[in-house]
Amino acid sequence: MTETDAERIRVARLARGLTQAGLAARLAVSAGRAATDSPGRNQVYRWENGRRCPTMWRPHLERVLGITLLGYRGEPARLAGIYQIEPPEEMPVDRRQFIAATTLAGVAASSPATAKGRRLGRSDVERARTRLADLRRLDDYSGGAAVYPLAVREIGALAALAASGAYTEDVGRQLVGGLGELYQFAAWTAFDAGRGDQARRLALAAANAAGQAGDRTLGATALSELSYLTASSTAPAEGVAMARASMARARDAIPAVRVVLADRLAWASARVGDAEGAARALGAAQEAHDRRDDAADDEPDTVYWINRDESMIMTGRVWSELGRHDRSAAVFEELTAPYDDTHAREMSLLHCWLAGARLGMGEIEGAAASAGRAAELAAQTASPRTDAMITAALGAFEAHRDTPAVAELLDTWHAPV
Protein backbone atom coordinates (compact mmCIF):
# COMPACT_ATOMS: atom_id res chain seq x y z
CA MET A 1 0.00 0.00 0.00
CA THR A 2 1.34 3.41 -0.88
CA GLU A 3 2.02 6.13 1.63
CA THR A 4 -0.81 8.12 0.02
CA ASP A 5 -3.34 5.41 0.83
CA ALA A 6 -2.11 5.15 4.41
CA GLU A 7 -2.48 8.87 4.93
CA ARG A 8 -5.88 8.90 3.23
CA ILE A 9 -7.21 6.29 5.68
CA ARG A 10 -5.88 8.15 8.72
CA VAL A 11 -7.19 11.57 7.64
CA ALA A 12 -10.64 10.20 6.75
CA ARG A 13 -10.90 8.34 10.06
CA LEU A 14 -10.02 11.42 12.08
CA ALA A 15 -12.42 13.55 10.04
CA ARG A 16 -15.23 11.23 11.12
CA GLY A 17 -14.21 11.30 14.76
CA LEU A 18 -13.42 7.61 14.86
CA THR A 19 -10.76 5.94 16.93
CA GLN A 20 -8.79 3.11 15.34
CA ALA A 21 -10.83 0.64 17.37
CA GLY A 22 -14.02 2.42 16.36
CA LEU A 23 -13.13 2.16 12.68
CA ALA A 24 -12.38 -1.54 13.09
CA ALA A 25 -15.82 -2.04 14.63
CA ARG A 26 -17.50 -0.14 11.76
CA LEU A 27 -15.69 -2.32 9.24
CA ALA A 28 -17.01 -5.47 10.91
CA VAL A 29 -20.55 -4.11 10.61
CA SER A 30 -20.01 -3.24 6.94
CA ALA A 31 -18.79 -6.77 6.26
CA GLY A 32 -21.71 -8.34 8.15
CA ARG A 33 -19.38 -9.86 10.73
CA ALA A 34 -19.55 -10.15 14.49
CA ALA A 35 -17.72 -7.50 16.50
CA THR A 36 -15.24 -10.16 17.60
CA ASP A 37 -14.35 -10.73 13.95
CA SER A 38 -13.29 -7.16 13.17
CA PRO A 39 -9.79 -6.40 11.83
CA GLY A 40 -8.90 -4.88 15.21
CA ARG A 41 -7.23 -1.64 16.24
CA ASN A 42 -3.72 -2.97 15.60
CA GLN A 43 -4.57 -3.79 12.01
CA VAL A 44 -5.93 -0.29 11.43
CA TYR A 45 -2.74 1.10 12.95
CA ARG A 46 -0.68 -0.94 10.47
CA TRP A 47 -2.76 0.30 7.52
CA GLU A 48 -2.30 3.91 8.60
CA ASN A 49 1.43 3.45 8.88
CA GLY A 50 1.76 1.72 5.53
CA ARG A 51 2.92 -1.53 7.10
CA ARG A 52 0.05 -3.65 5.75
CA CYS A 53 -2.41 -3.56 2.86
CA PRO A 54 -6.11 -3.82 3.77
CA THR A 55 -6.74 -6.50 1.06
CA MET A 56 -10.23 -7.88 1.76
CA TRP A 57 -11.12 -4.90 3.99
CA ARG A 58 -10.44 -2.34 1.25
CA PRO A 59 -14.05 -2.13 -0.09
CA HIS A 60 -15.36 -1.67 3.46
CA LEU A 61 -12.78 1.03 4.18
CA GLU A 62 -13.87 2.87 1.07
CA ARG A 63 -17.53 2.62 2.04
CA VAL A 64 -17.19 3.48 5.74
CA LEU A 65 -14.75 6.35 5.20
CA GLY A 66 -16.17 7.59 1.89
CA ILE A 67 -12.79 7.47 0.16
CA THR A 68 -11.23 5.82 -2.88
CA LEU A 69 -8.00 3.92 -2.40
CA LEU A 70 -5.59 3.20 -5.20
CA GLY A 71 -6.70 -0.42 -5.27
CA TYR A 72 -4.85 -3.68 -5.50
CA ARG A 73 -2.47 -2.24 -8.09
CA GLY A 74 -1.40 0.55 -5.76
CA GLU A 75 1.18 -1.64 -4.05
CA PRO A 76 4.68 -0.68 -5.22
CA ALA A 77 6.56 -3.30 -7.21
CA ARG A 78 9.07 -5.34 -5.26
CA LEU A 79 11.52 -7.94 -6.43
CA ALA A 80 10.46 -11.43 -5.52
CA GLY A 81 12.38 -13.49 -3.05
CA ILE A 82 14.54 -16.27 -4.46
CA TYR A 83 13.63 -19.80 -3.44
CA GLN A 84 15.37 -23.02 -4.47
CA ILE A 85 16.63 -21.57 -7.74
CA GLU A 86 17.55 -24.18 -10.32
CA PRO A 87 18.45 -23.96 -14.01
CA PRO A 88 15.54 -22.85 -16.19
CA GLU A 89 15.68 -26.00 -18.29
CA GLU A 90 13.99 -27.81 -15.41
CA MET A 91 10.73 -26.02 -16.10
CA PRO A 92 7.91 -28.61 -16.37
CA VAL A 93 5.98 -26.70 -19.05
CA ASP A 94 6.71 -24.94 -22.29
CA ARG A 95 7.02 -21.18 -21.84
CA ARG A 96 4.96 -20.76 -24.99
CA GLN A 97 1.99 -22.01 -22.99
CA PHE A 98 1.98 -18.79 -20.99
CA ILE A 99 2.16 -16.58 -24.06
CA ALA A 100 -0.64 -18.58 -25.70
CA ALA A 101 -2.67 -18.04 -22.56
CA THR A 102 -3.03 -14.37 -23.32
CA THR A 103 -4.34 -15.05 -26.81
CA LEU A 104 -7.40 -16.76 -25.36
CA ALA A 105 -8.06 -13.81 -23.09
CA GLY A 106 -7.56 -11.35 -25.93
CA VAL A 107 -4.71 -9.39 -24.38
CA ALA A 108 -1.09 -8.91 -25.31
CA ALA A 109 1.35 -10.35 -22.80
CA SER A 110 3.25 -7.68 -20.98
CA SER A 111 5.17 -7.43 -17.74
CA PRO A 112 7.31 -4.80 -16.02
CA ALA A 113 10.78 -4.46 -17.49
CA THR A 114 12.27 -5.04 -14.06
CA ALA A 115 10.70 -8.52 -13.99
CA LYS A 116 11.83 -9.60 -17.44
CA GLY A 117 13.96 -12.73 -17.36
CA ARG A 118 14.38 -12.85 -13.61
CA ARG A 119 14.21 -15.89 -11.40
CA LEU A 120 10.84 -16.53 -9.85
CA GLY A 121 10.07 -18.05 -6.46
CA ARG A 122 7.14 -18.91 -4.28
CA SER A 123 6.80 -15.30 -3.19
CA ASP A 124 5.83 -14.45 -6.77
CA VAL A 125 3.15 -17.12 -6.68
CA GLU A 126 1.84 -15.82 -3.35
CA ARG A 127 1.80 -12.26 -4.65
CA ALA A 128 -0.28 -13.34 -7.64
CA ARG A 129 -2.68 -15.18 -5.31
CA THR A 130 -3.03 -12.12 -3.09
CA ARG A 131 -3.83 -9.92 -6.08
CA LEU A 132 -6.42 -12.42 -7.26
CA ALA A 133 -7.99 -12.54 -3.80
CA ASP A 134 -8.29 -8.75 -3.90
CA LEU A 135 -9.91 -8.94 -7.33
CA ARG A 136 -12.48 -11.44 -6.07
CA ARG A 137 -13.53 -9.05 -3.29
CA LEU A 138 -13.57 -6.14 -5.70
CA ASP A 139 -15.99 -8.07 -7.91
CA ASP A 140 -18.33 -8.46 -4.93
CA TYR A 141 -18.78 -4.68 -4.87
CA SER A 142 -18.18 -3.51 -8.42
CA GLY A 143 -19.60 -6.17 -10.74
CA GLY A 144 -18.14 -8.20 -13.58
CA ALA A 145 -18.18 -5.50 -16.27
CA ALA A 146 -15.86 -3.36 -14.14
CA VAL A 147 -13.54 -6.16 -13.01
CA TYR A 148 -13.31 -8.31 -16.15
CA PRO A 149 -10.74 -6.00 -17.84
CA LEU A 150 -8.59 -6.15 -14.70
CA ALA A 151 -8.75 -9.95 -14.69
CA VAL A 152 -7.71 -10.08 -18.34
CA ARG A 153 -4.82 -7.72 -17.65
CA GLU A 154 -3.73 -9.89 -14.74
CA ILE A 155 -3.70 -12.97 -16.98
CA GLY A 156 -1.43 -11.14 -19.41
CA ALA A 157 0.92 -10.00 -16.66
CA LEU A 158 1.26 -13.43 -15.03
CA ALA A 159 1.64 -15.19 -18.39
CA ALA A 160 4.40 -12.82 -19.49
CA LEU A 161 6.18 -13.06 -16.15
CA ALA A 162 6.20 -16.85 -16.33
CA ALA A 163 7.15 -16.93 -20.01
CA SER A 164 10.24 -14.80 -19.45
CA GLY A 165 11.36 -16.08 -16.04
CA ALA A 166 13.25 -19.05 -14.66
CA TYR A 167 11.95 -21.23 -11.87
CA THR A 168 11.91 -24.67 -10.30
CA GLU A 169 9.55 -27.47 -11.24
CA ASP A 170 7.44 -26.91 -8.15
CA VAL A 171 7.16 -23.15 -8.73
CA GLY A 172 6.35 -23.84 -12.39
CA ARG A 173 3.41 -26.01 -11.42
CA GLN A 174 2.17 -23.36 -9.02
CA LEU A 175 2.39 -20.71 -11.75
CA VAL A 176 0.30 -22.88 -14.05
CA GLY A 177 -2.19 -23.39 -11.24
CA GLY A 178 -2.27 -19.66 -10.59
CA LEU A 179 -2.99 -19.07 -14.24
CA GLY A 180 -5.81 -21.60 -14.00
CA GLU A 181 -7.33 -19.74 -11.04
CA LEU A 182 -7.12 -16.51 -13.00
CA TYR A 183 -8.87 -18.15 -15.95
CA GLN A 184 -11.60 -19.39 -13.63
CA PHE A 185 -12.12 -15.97 -12.09
CA ALA A 186 -12.03 -14.26 -15.48
CA ALA A 187 -14.67 -16.73 -16.69
CA TRP A 188 -16.98 -15.65 -13.88
CA THR A 189 -16.48 -11.93 -14.52
CA ALA A 190 -16.97 -12.46 -18.26
CA PHE A 191 -20.26 -14.24 -17.53
CA ASP A 192 -21.38 -11.43 -15.26
CA ALA A 193 -20.36 -8.94 -17.95
CA GLY A 194 -22.65 -10.64 -20.46
CA ARG A 195 -19.84 -12.37 -22.39
CA GLY A 196 -21.18 -15.92 -22.25
CA ASP A 197 -19.10 -17.48 -25.03
CA GLN A 198 -15.90 -15.95 -23.71
CA ALA A 199 -16.78 -17.11 -20.21
CA ARG A 200 -17.13 -20.73 -21.33
CA ARG A 201 -13.82 -20.62 -23.21
CA LEU A 202 -12.07 -19.25 -20.15
CA ALA A 203 -13.61 -21.86 -17.85
CA LEU A 204 -12.44 -24.61 -20.20
CA ALA A 205 -8.96 -23.09 -20.21
CA ALA A 206 -9.03 -23.10 -16.41
CA ALA A 207 -9.81 -26.83 -16.39
CA ASN A 208 -6.99 -27.50 -18.85
CA ALA A 209 -4.50 -25.48 -16.79
CA ALA A 210 -5.57 -27.33 -13.66
CA GLY A 211 -4.85 -30.63 -15.39
CA GLN A 212 -1.34 -29.46 -16.36
CA ALA A 213 -0.72 -28.29 -12.81
CA GLY A 214 -1.98 -31.57 -11.34
CA ASP A 215 -4.55 -29.72 -9.23
CA ARG A 216 -7.60 -31.97 -9.00
CA THR A 217 -9.57 -29.56 -6.85
CA LEU A 218 -9.08 -26.67 -9.24
CA GLY A 219 -9.94 -28.99 -12.12
CA ALA A 220 -13.19 -29.99 -10.44
CA THR A 221 -14.22 -26.43 -9.58
CA ALA A 222 -13.34 -25.20 -13.07
CA LEU A 223 -15.44 -27.94 -14.66
CA SER A 224 -18.20 -27.15 -12.19
CA GLU A 225 -18.09 -23.50 -13.18
CA LEU A 226 -18.28 -24.52 -16.83
CA SER A 227 -21.33 -26.61 -15.97
CA TYR A 228 -22.98 -23.62 -14.31
CA LEU A 229 -22.28 -21.37 -17.29
CA THR A 230 -23.62 -24.01 -19.66
CA ALA A 231 -26.69 -24.74 -17.55
CA SER A 232 -27.44 -21.02 -17.41
CA SER A 233 -27.33 -20.71 -21.21
CA THR A 234 -30.07 -21.32 -23.74
CA ALA A 235 -28.76 -24.88 -24.26
CA PRO A 236 -28.43 -26.24 -20.70
CA ALA A 237 -28.45 -30.00 -21.32
CA GLU A 238 -24.68 -30.55 -21.27
CA GLY A 239 -24.42 -28.74 -17.95
CA VAL A 240 -25.71 -31.77 -16.03
CA ALA A 241 -23.04 -34.11 -17.38
CA MET A 242 -20.33 -31.57 -16.62
CA ALA A 243 -21.62 -31.05 -13.09
CA ARG A 244 -21.71 -34.79 -12.43
CA ALA A 245 -18.19 -35.15 -13.81
CA SER A 246 -16.96 -32.40 -11.49
CA MET A 247 -18.45 -34.25 -8.52
CA ALA A 248 -16.77 -37.48 -9.62
CA ARG A 249 -13.40 -35.74 -9.96
CA ALA A 250 -13.62 -34.34 -6.46
CA ARG A 251 -14.61 -37.34 -4.35
CA ASP A 252 -11.80 -36.55 -1.92
CA ALA A 253 -12.24 -32.76 -1.99
CA ILE A 254 -12.76 -30.83 1.23
CA PRO A 255 -16.40 -30.21 2.26
CA ALA A 256 -16.50 -26.55 1.20
CA VAL A 257 -15.61 -27.50 -2.36
CA ARG A 258 -18.17 -30.31 -2.34
CA VAL A 259 -20.84 -27.80 -1.34
CA VAL A 260 -20.13 -25.66 -4.39
CA LEU A 261 -20.10 -28.64 -6.74
CA ALA A 262 -23.35 -30.05 -5.35
CA ASP A 263 -25.15 -26.70 -5.53
CA ARG A 264 -24.17 -26.33 -9.16
CA LEU A 265 -25.33 -29.86 -9.94
CA ALA A 266 -28.67 -28.96 -8.39
CA TRP A 267 -28.95 -25.91 -10.63
CA ALA A 268 -28.01 -27.85 -13.76
CA SER A 269 -30.58 -30.52 -12.89
CA ALA A 270 -33.28 -27.91 -12.34
CA ARG A 271 -32.53 -26.30 -15.68
CA VAL A 272 -33.45 -29.53 -17.48
CA GLY A 273 -36.50 -30.18 -15.29
CA ASP A 274 -35.00 -33.00 -13.21
CA ALA A 275 -36.63 -32.33 -9.84
CA GLU A 276 -35.47 -35.61 -8.30
CA GLY A 277 -31.86 -35.03 -9.34
CA ALA A 278 -31.97 -31.46 -8.08
CA ALA A 279 -33.32 -32.56 -4.70
CA ARG A 280 -30.58 -35.18 -4.33
CA ALA A 281 -27.91 -32.60 -5.15
CA LEU A 282 -29.34 -30.11 -2.66
CA GLY A 283 -29.26 -32.84 -0.03
CA ALA A 284 -25.62 -33.57 -0.89
CA ALA A 285 -24.80 -29.90 -0.43
CA GLN A 286 -26.34 -29.87 3.04
CA GLU A 287 -24.44 -33.03 4.00
CA ALA A 288 -21.23 -31.34 2.87
CA HIS A 289 -22.11 -28.29 4.99
CA ASP A 290 -22.54 -30.58 8.01
CA ARG A 291 -19.11 -32.12 7.40
CA ARG A 292 -17.64 -28.66 6.94
CA ASP A 293 -18.93 -27.62 10.36
CA ASP A 294 -16.89 -30.40 11.95
CA ALA A 295 -13.79 -30.00 9.78
CA ALA A 296 -10.74 -27.83 10.22
CA ASP A 297 -9.61 -27.73 6.61
CA ASP A 298 -7.43 -25.07 5.09
CA GLU A 299 -9.92 -23.87 2.48
CA PRO A 300 -8.79 -22.31 -0.81
CA ASP A 301 -9.74 -18.72 -1.50
CA THR A 302 -11.75 -19.88 -4.52
CA VAL A 303 -14.56 -20.90 -2.14
CA TYR A 304 -14.35 -18.00 0.34
CA TRP A 305 -17.91 -16.96 -0.54
CA ILE A 306 -19.77 -20.21 0.08
CA ASN A 307 -21.89 -20.62 3.22
CA ARG A 308 -25.30 -21.98 4.19
CA ASP A 309 -27.03 -18.76 3.18
CA GLU A 310 -25.62 -19.05 -0.33
CA SER A 311 -26.86 -22.63 -0.50
CA MET A 312 -30.30 -21.50 0.64
CA ILE A 313 -30.33 -18.96 -2.17
CA MET A 314 -29.49 -21.71 -4.63
CA THR A 315 -32.25 -23.87 -3.13
CA GLY A 316 -34.76 -21.08 -3.70
CA ARG A 317 -33.57 -20.61 -7.28
CA VAL A 318 -33.80 -24.34 -7.98
CA TRP A 319 -37.40 -24.62 -6.78
CA SER A 320 -38.37 -21.51 -8.70
CA GLU A 321 -36.79 -22.92 -11.87
CA LEU A 322 -38.81 -26.10 -11.35
CA GLY A 323 -42.02 -24.08 -11.03
CA ARG A 324 -42.40 -24.71 -7.29
CA HIS A 325 -42.82 -21.04 -6.46
CA ASP A 326 -44.38 -21.74 -3.08
CA ARG A 327 -41.30 -23.63 -1.92
CA SER A 328 -39.03 -21.04 -3.48
CA ALA A 329 -40.76 -18.10 -1.77
CA ALA A 330 -40.70 -19.93 1.56
CA VAL A 331 -36.93 -20.35 1.27
CA PHE A 332 -36.25 -16.74 0.29
CA GLU A 333 -38.57 -15.30 2.94
CA GLU A 334 -36.97 -17.41 5.65
CA LEU A 335 -33.51 -16.28 4.62
CA THR A 336 -31.87 -13.45 6.51
CA ALA A 337 -30.14 -11.45 3.79
CA PRO A 338 -26.47 -12.48 3.95
CA TYR A 339 -25.24 -9.14 2.58
CA ASP A 340 -25.86 -5.46 2.99
CA ASP A 341 -26.52 -3.10 0.10
CA THR A 342 -22.81 -2.62 -0.58
CA HIS A 343 -23.16 -5.99 -2.33
CA ALA A 344 -25.61 -4.41 -4.76
CA ARG A 345 -25.43 -7.19 -7.35
CA GLU A 346 -26.05 -10.02 -4.91
CA MET A 347 -28.89 -8.20 -3.16
CA SER A 348 -30.45 -7.20 -6.48
CA LEU A 349 -30.43 -10.81 -7.65
CA LEU A 350 -31.89 -11.97 -4.35
CA HIS A 351 -34.80 -9.53 -4.64
CA CYS A 352 -35.24 -10.45 -8.30
CA TRP A 353 -35.57 -14.16 -7.51
CA LEU A 354 -37.96 -13.41 -4.66
CA ALA A 355 -40.04 -11.26 -7.03
CA GLY A 356 -40.27 -14.16 -9.47
CA ALA A 357 -41.36 -16.57 -6.74
CA ARG A 358 -44.00 -14.17 -5.41
CA LEU A 359 -45.30 -13.45 -8.90
CA GLY A 360 -45.55 -17.18 -9.55
CA MET A 361 -47.70 -17.49 -6.42
CA GLY A 362 -49.96 -14.63 -7.46
CA GLU A 363 -48.69 -12.22 -4.80
CA ILE A 364 -48.59 -9.34 -7.27
CA GLU A 365 -48.00 -6.39 -4.96
CA GLY A 366 -45.31 -8.15 -2.96
CA ALA A 367 -43.66 -9.23 -6.18
CA ALA A 368 -43.72 -5.67 -7.50
CA ALA A 369 -42.09 -4.38 -4.32
CA SER A 370 -39.31 -6.95 -4.61
CA ALA A 371 -38.79 -6.22 -8.31
CA GLY A 372 -38.57 -2.49 -7.64
CA ARG A 373 -35.92 -3.03 -5.00
CA ALA A 374 -34.03 -5.33 -7.36
CA ALA A 375 -34.05 -2.71 -10.12
CA GLU A 376 -32.92 0.02 -7.73
CA LEU A 377 -29.95 -2.04 -6.58
CA ALA A 378 -29.06 -3.22 -10.08
CA ALA A 379 -28.54 0.38 -11.12
CA GLN A 380 -25.67 0.58 -8.61
CA THR A 381 -23.48 -2.19 -10.03
CA ALA A 382 -21.70 -2.98 -13.30
CA SER A 383 -23.36 -6.32 -14.00
CA PRO A 384 -25.02 -6.70 -17.43
CA ARG A 385 -26.09 -10.20 -16.39
CA THR A 386 -28.08 -8.69 -13.51
CA ASP A 387 -29.46 -5.98 -15.77
CA ALA A 388 -30.73 -8.60 -18.22
CA MET A 389 -32.38 -10.59 -15.44
CA ILE A 390 -34.11 -7.48 -14.08
CA THR A 391 -35.33 -6.53 -17.55
CA ALA A 392 -36.77 -10.02 -18.06
CA ALA A 393 -38.38 -9.92 -14.62
CA LEU A 394 -40.02 -6.57 -15.34
CA GLY A 395 -41.37 -7.93 -18.60
CA ALA A 396 -43.24 -10.61 -16.68
CA PHE A 397 -45.29 -7.88 -14.95
CA GLU A 398 -46.80 -6.48 -18.15
CA ALA A 399 -49.84 -8.74 -17.82
CA HIS A 400 -50.55 -7.15 -14.42
CA ARG A 401 -50.21 -3.48 -15.37
CA ASP A 402 -53.74 -2.76 -14.16
CA THR A 403 -52.49 -3.28 -10.60
CA PRO A 404 -51.42 0.15 -9.25
CA ALA A 405 -48.21 -1.17 -7.69
CA VAL A 406 -47.24 -2.78 -10.99
CA ALA A 407 -48.08 0.32 -13.00
CA GLU A 408 -45.84 2.36 -10.73
CA LEU A 409 -43.08 -0.24 -11.02
CA LEU A 410 -43.16 -0.29 -14.81
CA ASP A 411 -43.47 3.47 -15.12
CA THR A 412 -40.41 3.90 -12.91
CA TRP A 413 -38.32 1.17 -14.53
CA HIS A 414 -39.82 1.08 -18.02
CA ALA A 415 -36.41 1.09 -19.71
CA PRO A 416 -33.67 -1.52 -19.25
CA VAL A 417 -31.74 -0.70 -16.10
Side-chain angles (χ1 to χ4, degrees):
M1 184 171 66
T2 67
E3 183 177 353
T4 302
D5 272 356
E7 181 68 11
R8 189 174 288 114
I9 292 171
R10 188 184 70 82
V11 170
R13 174 181 63 79
L14 292 174
R16 283 159 178 75
L18 293 172
T19 65
Q20 291 174 334
L23 174 57
R26 290 277 190 93
L27 294 175
V29 172
S30 176
R33 298 186 174 200
T36 54
D37 198 20
S38 79
R41 184 193 69 80
N42 289 339
Q43 191 73 284
V44 174
Y45 169 80
R46 294 185 183 100
W47 296 337
E48 293 183 354
N49 285 274
R51 298 179 183 179
R52 293 287 189 276
C53 290
T55 59
M56 68 169 288
W57 293 102
R58 178 176 286 112
H60 302 289
L61 275 167
E62 292 181 330
R63 174 176 171 78
V64 170
L65 296 178
I67 60 177
T68 299
L69 302 178
L70 293 182
Y72 79 104
R73 290 181 178 275
E75 190 174 358
R78 295 189 296 271
L79 291 178
I82 296 176
Y83 183 85
Q84 292 184 349
I85 296 304
E86 295 181 14
E89 57 267 21
E90 295 198 14
M91 287 170 47
V93 296
D94 191 333
R95 282 190 178 89
R96 290 173 297 181
Q97 164 189 330
F98 295 101
I99 294 297
T102 62
T103 303
L104 179 65
V107 60
S110 62
S111 60
T114 55
K116 185 175 179 58
R118 66 181 173 85
R119 296 179 183 272
L120 308 178
R122 290 184 180 176
S123 60
D124 294 278
V125 175
E126 288 305 314
R127 188 174 302 129
R129 287 174 176 164
T130 297
R131 290 162 73 88
L132 177 53
D134 285 349
L135 275 178
R136 290 188 180 113
R137 275 69 178 181
L138 183 61
D139 172 67
D140 286 342
Y141 295 87
S142 301
V147 181
Y148 173 70
L150 301 179
V152 168
R153 198 177 308 160
E154 200 72 6
I155 289 173
L158 181 59
L161 187 68
S164 64
Y167 36 85
T168 66
E169 181 177 344
D170 179 58
V171 169
R173 278 194 299 269
Q174 292 182 53
L175 287 169
V176 177
L179 188 64
E181 287 195 37
L182 271 170
Y183 273 141
Q184 186 177 30
F185 175 71
W188 163 252
T189 57
F191 174 63
D192 196 49
R195 301 167 175 259
D197 291 340
Q198 182 77 344
R200 287 188 286 276
R201 287 196 295 271
L202 286 162
L204 181 59
N208 290 336
Q212 293 183 43
D215 189 332
R216 290 177 60 86
T217 296
L218 177 59
T221 57
L223 183 58
S224 173
E225 182 165 299
L226 183 59
S227 79
Y228 180 79
L229 301 179
T230 303
S232 300
S233 72
T234 56
E238 291 184 6
V240 177
M242 293 177 186
R244 288 175 178 164
S246 71
M247 293 282 287
R249 285 190 181 188
R251 287 192 177 92
D252 298 325
I254 61 174
V257 171
R258 297 283 294 179
V259 170
V260 174
L261 305 186
D263 277 346
R264 287 174 175 167
L265 175 57
W267 174 244
S269 299
R271 286 284 290 154
V272 297
D274 181 5
E276 184 177 343
R280 283 198 303 269
L282 291 174
Q286 290 305 313
E287 290 175 4
H289 273 300
D290 292 341
R291 291 196 299 273
R292 186 187 190 189
D293 290 343
D294 297 329
D297 300 297
D298 184 13
E299 298 180 349
D301 193 66
T302 50
V303 294
Y304 80 94
W305 53 274
I306 192 64
N307 52 45
R308 287 187 184 270
D309 288 337
E310 284 286 350
S311 286
M312 283 187 68
I313 291 171
M314 180 59 79
T315 298
R317 292 180 62 196
V318 163
W319 290 124
S320 184
E321 183 69 24
L322 290 167
R324 295 296 305 274
H325 300 297
D326 54 339
R327 296 188 67 171
S328 176
V331 169
F332 285 128
E333 290 172 351
E334 179 185 345
L335 178 68
T336 300
Y339 308 108
D340 60 25
D341 287 354
T342 60
H343 289 69
R345 178 184 60 199
E346 314 310 326
M347 290 302 295
S348 175
L349 290 170
L350 182 58
H351 284 289
C352 183
W353 294 322
L354 177 56
R358 285 174 168 170
L359 188 62
M361 294 175 63
E363 297 180 1
I364 309 303
E365 292 188 356
S370 295
R373 184 61 178 144
E376 181 183 358
L377 288 163
Q380 302 174 28
T381 187
S383 172
R385 172 181 65 109
T386 304
D387 294 347
M389 293 180 68
I390 300 299
T391 299
L394 292 175
F397 282 90
E398 286 292 346
H400 305 280
R401 186 180 275 275
D402 57 341
T403 302
V406 172
E408 181 180 356
L409 169 71
L410 296 179
D411 288 344
T412 304
W413 303 101
H414 63 281
V417 294

